[in-house]
Amino acid sequence: MAVKVLTIKEDILVANDVRANENNALLEKKNILMINIMSSPGAGKTTLLLKTINNMKDKTRIGIIEGDVASSVDADKINEQSIPVVQINTAGGCHLDANQVNQGLMNLPLDNIDLLFIENVGNLICTAEFNLGEQKKVMILSLPEGHDKPYKYPIMFTEVDVVLVSKTDLAPLLDFDMEEFVSAVKGLNEKTEIFAISAKTGEGMEAWYSWLTKQLESRRIS
Ligand code: MG
Ligand code: ZN
């Protein structure tokens, strides 16, 4: 079945936070954990999602909202995994807003989803400033982007619950200073958890899956 593609321009008439709260209430009612994944273009959001789906889909019902300026290239890859997915095209917009995500939620089988990922538009600047109603924010920083990014994009690093440092298999080729990176991130937000991962070799992926499992379990208990 072809992926459903919704083209939605940012709606500046409805206050973003009002809609985000509505989204969050809907998710709580349906007992869904929604995680907003953000990064620069090419940091590995789609690859991470494909690996995560592969690892967890037998025990967790996963759904995806894909955000892109145009195309359904990423959503098509997800669709091949037989996971519910909806593509939002922002018609030029550089981030997803809560109204667009609300439309995404309305086009997904929410009663059959426990864990819902949003793949946000590739952009480190304004994506973090828009609450979508998600319970957790995660960002991916790929090694080639450099360890100085927390200084340049502080809002992103301050907002997120988890930073995934991706493409660690490239470490021998690069001068990425992990110690400096970690101290810069912690300087902005002491509580941020940092995992170094390589979707290619599988290094560090278990820590990411355990974190996800822990989030799902703590919801079941509460
Ligand atoms: Mg992608
Ligand atoms: Zn934007």
Side-chain angles (χ1 to χ4, degrees):
M1 207 167 61
V3 172
K4 191 160 197 177
V5 180
L6 310 171
T7 301
I8 313 164
K9 285 232 181 197
E10 184 172 4
D11 184 354
I12 51 170
L13 296 175
V14 180
N16 189 74
D17 283 349
V18 172
R19 188 69 88 202
N21 288 340
E22 289 172 12
N23 290 348
N24 189 263
L26 176 61
L27 295 165
E28 293 297 327
K29 191 173 137 211
K30 299 283 184 185
N31 200 24
I32 296 170
L33 172 64
M34 184 164 83
I35 298 181
N36 179 9
I37 311 250
M38 296 170 282
S39 79
S40 301
K45 292 185 293 302
T46 310
T47 306
L48 177 86
L49 288 177
L50 288 169
K51 295 275 179 187
T52 304
I53 288 166
N54 228 300
N55 184 276
M56 296 187 71
K57 75 174 174 186
D58 291 341
K59 36 187 198 285
T60 309
R61 299 176 303 168
I62 300 175
I64 311 274
I65 295 175
E66 278 288 340
D68 280 292
V69 171
S71 90
S72 65
V73 174
D74 288 349
D76 292 339
K77 287 183 203 159
I78 303 286
N79 195 35
E80 285 169 20
Q81 307 297 312
S82 305
I83 293 291
V85 57
V86 60
Q87 174 78 53
I88 295 172
N89 284 161
T90 59
C94 49
H95 57 264
L96 286 175
D97 69 11
N99 195 51
Q100 292 162 331
V101 168
N102 186 265
Q103 293 298 308
L105 292 172
M106 295 306 150
N107 283 277
L108 282 168
L110 297 182
D111 290 326
N112 302 323
I113 294 173
D114 305 309
L115 175 59
L116 178 57
F117 291 105
I118 298 171
E119 181 176 341
N120 214 314
V121 178
N123 176 357
L124 283 187
I125 301 166
C126 52
T127 46
E129 293 176 45
F130 288 82
N131 278 327
L132 305 177
E134 74 281 63
Q135 292 93 344
K136 297 287 174 189
K137 288 177 168 47
V138 172
M139 74 155 299
I140 308 176
L141 188 283
S142 67
L143 236 56
E145 292 172 74
H147 54 253
D148 58 353
K149 290 299 168 289
Y151 306 120
K152 295 187 176 182
Y153 305 100
I155 294 170
M156 173 63 71
F157 289 89
T158 305
E159 287 289 325
V160 293
D161 300 287
V162 172
V163 176
L164 297 171
V165 183
S166 71
K167 308 191 186 180
T168 54
D169 51 290
L170 297 176
L173 306 173
L174 303 164
D175 296 319
F176 190 95
D177 187 334
M178 187 65 87
E179 232 170 273
E180 186 179 342
F181 177 77
V182 170
S183 85
V185 173
K186 294 287 182 182
L188 290 165
N189 183 353
E190 179 65 37
K191 289 197 219 114
T192 309
E193 296 194 63
I194 303 171
F195 304 118
I197 59 162
S198 165
K200 192 172 178 183
T201 65
E203 185 198 347
M205 292 296 284
E206 283 306 324
W208 163 241
Y209 301 142
S210 313
W211 182 84
L212 285 172
T213 304
K214 201 173 83 191
Q215 305 310 311
L216 287 163
E217 279 168 2
S218 67
R219 294 179 60 74
R220 259 172 228 136
I221 296 158
S222 62

